[in-house]
Amino acid sequence: MKQNTRREKSLSLLCQKFLSYYPIKVEPNETIIIKLHQMADLLEVERRRIYDIVNVLESVEILSRYCKNQYIWHGFAQIPHTLSKLKTLSLKSNFLEYTKTLLESQNHESNDLYQDTKQAINIGFEYAIQINKVITDVRDAMTQTISISREEKSLGIMSQKFLMLFLTSEDGIVSINFAARVLLGDTKSDTTELGKFKTKIRRLYDIANVLTRIGLIKKYHSNDVNISKPAYKYTGPIVDVIRDAEYVFDFMNSGNPQSNSKHSLFDHFKRNLDLQCSIPKFDVNTGILNSKDKKWKKQNSSTNVSTRYHPYNIHQSTSHQMIEPNYDYNYYSGPGVCLPLASASCTQDLASGSNQADFLYNQNDFLPISSSSSSSSTNQMDIYNYQQYTNNYLYYNTNEPKTNDYSMDGQYEPTNSIDETILVKTDCDLVQENVLPSFSSFLN
DNA sequence: TATTCCCGCCACCAC
DNA sequence: GTGGTGGCGGGAATA
């Protein structure tokens, strides 16, 4: 039916179909390769659409690029740790201050360009252009225009910044308008011009559709006149900041030690900055990411970070893809976090769609690995509250993959047969609620 | 009308 | 040059 055509082709539904082919968790002895051209054929879509999905999924480390046309599927277990890193980055990099500055600037500047733009949308597009031009010219004369680099405009990095807003928001609600302005950067130059703003909104819808499908956010409807519509609400795990994360190395040394994604802020640090340098700061006035130690620079092609990598331990090489629909899952113990996972037909639940978020994050059937009780009567917390459940213990895997474990064609040649998983007390810093702004009420 | 976002052009980049 | 990748914005479907 024509009415369903657009919906059937939607990125959200496409993402759901994509996810239905892969398990929530990956067994330690599995390698799950995603071949993009096969997925495009399977889902009967242009490959361009697959990139949209993959780029956002990569931003939360559900998968990572392996080589041309191929990605490695990691499942959902890494998500809490990725979110912890993003939250930590928000607080350690001035990102939160930047967003506050943005909020204040719009509150105090009655002639704020964005307000003019938004107002002008109601008046007429042509008039909006005129207003923008005049104000932009004035501002250009007063301020140095610094644009955000192409790298920072990647869908994955936008996705990460979008998530950082949710993770530092007091109420977990972020209006798409505010997010767009944050992503545009530079509170004082012409970056809020209508065209760029609309483009950013489009991308945010793309991102939001994928993040919604994996249950991290959902569309938020409110009658509150103070909340700008449209808005999204965070529905993902509650995560803490990583204690003592002051240097780029702190991020590199957790999660995906060898990843090299163009869609990850962390990997940008690894490529572009000294590992010993402190975490780069966002300029609170422009939103541009800078570092005292080194300028954000174009990637050097001679970088010694390998483009062939396995982010996690892989104990045997299998080239199979497409997990059976009724695959059983017990729990996953990988680097970064160790989470109990469902022993159910996850892919079917994923495919059902409607209660996916509940399934992923609010299942009652999960038991922490360290729990001495196997009673299922325990009212388990969200799967992603696991850190808190275990008194802020994180599981770190001591056996990180070594470069020489892989042959030139990327096949894993195991030198270690057994994982050793140790407990590391995190004693996470708890963020004081009163420092967190609300991003929902932005220029209603 | 405002929101949502599909579609594909074409620039960029590694090889 | 070639093919993979993905930023970008027009404009149409949907609410």
Side-chain angles (χ1 to χ4, degrees), chain A residues 292-306:
Chain A
K292 285 182 180 178
D293 303 302
K294 264 188 181 177
K295 288 289 183 185
W296 185 272
K297 65 181 183 186
K298 186 174 173 62
Q299 179 183 356
N300 186 344
S301 60
S302 65
T303 177
N304 58 8
V305 177
S306 171

Side-chain angles (χ1 to χ4, degrees), chain A residues 94-109 112 178 181-182 186-188 282-287 437 439 442:
Chain A
N94 282 348
F95 187 78
L96 187 59
E97 284 73 10
Y98 164 57
T99 58
K100 285 179 178 175
T101 302
L102 213 49
L103 280 172
E104 288 169 7
S105 73
Q106 67 90 10
N107 287 333
H108 294 149
E109 295 178 28
D112 180 87
F178 180 65
R181 190 166 179 204
V182 169
D186 198 344
T187 63
K188 291 184 172 56
F282 286 93
D283 185 307
V284 295
N285 294 314
T286 66
F439 301 138
F442 182 71

Side-chain angles (χ1 to χ4, degrees), chain A residues 7 82 103 130 158 160 162 208 213 225 261 279 299-300 362 378 387 391 397 403 422 444:
Chain A
R7 186 168 299 170
T82 304
L103 280 172
Q130 291 176 26
M158 282 197 281
Q160 289 187 326
F162 194 31
R213 192 50 77 176
V225 294
S261 169
I279 294 169
Q299 179 183 356
N300 186 344
N362 301 310
T378 306
Q387 282 179 239
N391 296 321
N397 195 313
T403 306
I422 61 169
N444 184 45

Side-chain angles (χ1 to χ4, degrees), chain A residues 183-397:
Chain A
L183 292 172
L184 278 166
D186 198 344
T187 63
K188 291 184 172 56
S189 75
D190 70 339
T191 51
T192 45
E193 76 178 68
L194 191 60
K196 288 181 180 176
F197 187 78
K198 289 173 69 176
T199 294
K200 212 53 98 172
I201 293 283
R202 291 187 191 99
R203 295 292 81 75
L204 280 169
Y205 280 122
D206 292 341
I207 293 166
N209 280 331
V210 176
L211 294 181
T212 298
R213 192 50 77 176
I214 61 177
L216 289 181
I217 61 173
K218 68 178 180 183
K219 194 73 183 291
Y220 182 74
H221 300 282
S222 171
N223 295 325
D224 188 344
V225 294
N226 293 318
I227 294 180
S228 173
K229 288 182 280 189
Y232 287 84
K233 183 174 176 59
Y234 181 72
T235 56
I238 298 170
V239 297
D240 290 326
V241 299
I242 300 169
R243 195 186 68 158
D244 296 335
E246 300 292 341
Y247 303 96
V248 170
F249 181 82
D250 297 328
F251 283 108
M252 182 174 179
N253 200 34
S254 61
N256 285 358
Q258 296 187 31
S259 73
N260 185 21
S261 169
K262 285 193 290 186
H263 300 282
S264 166
L265 283 167
F266 315 123
D267 292 343
H268 274 287
F269 296 165
K270 287 191 285 187
R271 278 196 300 273
N272 299 324
L273 302 171
D274 290 331
L275 298 181
Q276 295 81 5
C277 82
S278 57
I279 294 169
K281 307 290 186 187
F282 286 93
D283 185 307
V284 295
N285 294 314
T286 66
I288 306 291
L289 195 52
N290 280 316
S291 166
K292 285 182 180 178
D293 303 302
K294 264 188 181 177
K295 288 289 183 185
W296 185 272
K297 65 181 183 186
K298 186 174 173 62
Q299 179 183 356
N300 186 344
S301 60
S302 65
T303 177
N304 58 8
V305 177
S306 171
T307 55
R308 289 188 181 278
Y309 60 88
H310 284 292
Y312 308 121
N313 282 358
I314 297 168
H315 294 282
Q316 69 182 47
S317 178
T318 57
S319 58
H320 94 315
Q321 291 357 303
M322 305 304 170
I323 299 299
E324 292 296 319
N326 290 316
Y327 193 85
D328 287 336
Y329 313 105
N330 296 314
Y331 63 84
Y332 170 70
S333 67
V337 290
C338 186
L339 290 170
L341 287 162
S343 55
S345 52
C346 300
T347 50
Q348 289 181 345
D349 287 282
L350 270 174
S352 68
S354 59
N355 295 318
Q356 186 188 55
D358 290 339
F359 175 76
L360 291 175
Y361 305 120
N362 301 310
Q363 266 285 1
N364 292 326
D365 297 333
F366 301 106
L367 284 173
I369 294 169
S370 61
S371 172
S372 58
S373 168
S374 61
S375 168
S376 60
S377 64
T378 306
N379 184 21
Q380 300 293 335
M381 305 170 73
D382 293 353
I383 177 171
Y384 285 148
N385 286 342
Y386 183 57
Q387 282 179 239
Q388 294 182 341
Y389 193 88
T390 55
N391 296 321
N392 292 332
Y393 276 89
L394 281 178
Y395 289 83
Y396 284 96
N397 195 313

